Amino acid sequence: MDGIKYAVFTEKSIRLLGNNQYTSNVESGSTKTEIKHWVELFFGVKVIAMNSHRLGRRIGPHRRHSNYRRMIITLQPGYSIPPLI
């Protein structure tokens, strides 16, 4: 579970909980397959989809990326993950 940094609680991520989708920040070097394996193994759930994007912000003409990615993990109906705080 070293790849998953922490859960994200924003307005959008709380809204996605109703669709059985969980949002967390992960290390940028981690792959989707690794994160899927970690989540399924650690929480005992079935992952059906994963979406990710890198967070960044523009500073003048340059774009600076953070050293983590945000993952939205969709679970099969009937499965859930306890809140990660």
Side-chain angles (χ1 to χ4, degrees):
M1 290 298 293
D2 295 333
I4 299 176
K5 290 190 170 195
Y6 51 88
V8 176
F9 295 104
T10 60
E11 289 181 30
K12 180 179 179 179
S13 67
I14 292 171
R15 188 175 67 241
L16 290 175
L17 288 174
N19 298 333
N20 215 17
Q21 294 179 324
Y22 295 85
T23 307
S24 62
N25 287 341
V26 298
E27 292 182 9
S28 63
S30 302
T31 63
K32 287 184 180 183
T33 326
E34 291 174 342
I35 299 296
K36 179 181 178 180
H37 178 70
W38 289 335
V39 169
E40 288 181 342
L41 187 66
F42 188 75
F43 294 110
V45 296
K46 295 290 182 183
V47 176
I48 58 174
M50 297 183 70
N51 296 325
S52 70
H53 65 276
R54 289 187 62 185
L55 300 172
R57 63 180 187 177
R58 186 170 292 281
I59 302 173
H62 307 287
R63 183 164 180 90
R64 182 171 181 212
H65 291 286
S66 62
N67 49 348
Y68 58 89
R69 292 190 309 171
R70 184 158 293 167
M71 296 286 257
I72 300 174
I73 302 166
T74 306
L75 302 180
Q76 283 185 351
Y79 290 99
S80 66
I81 295 177
L84 301 172
I85 298 175

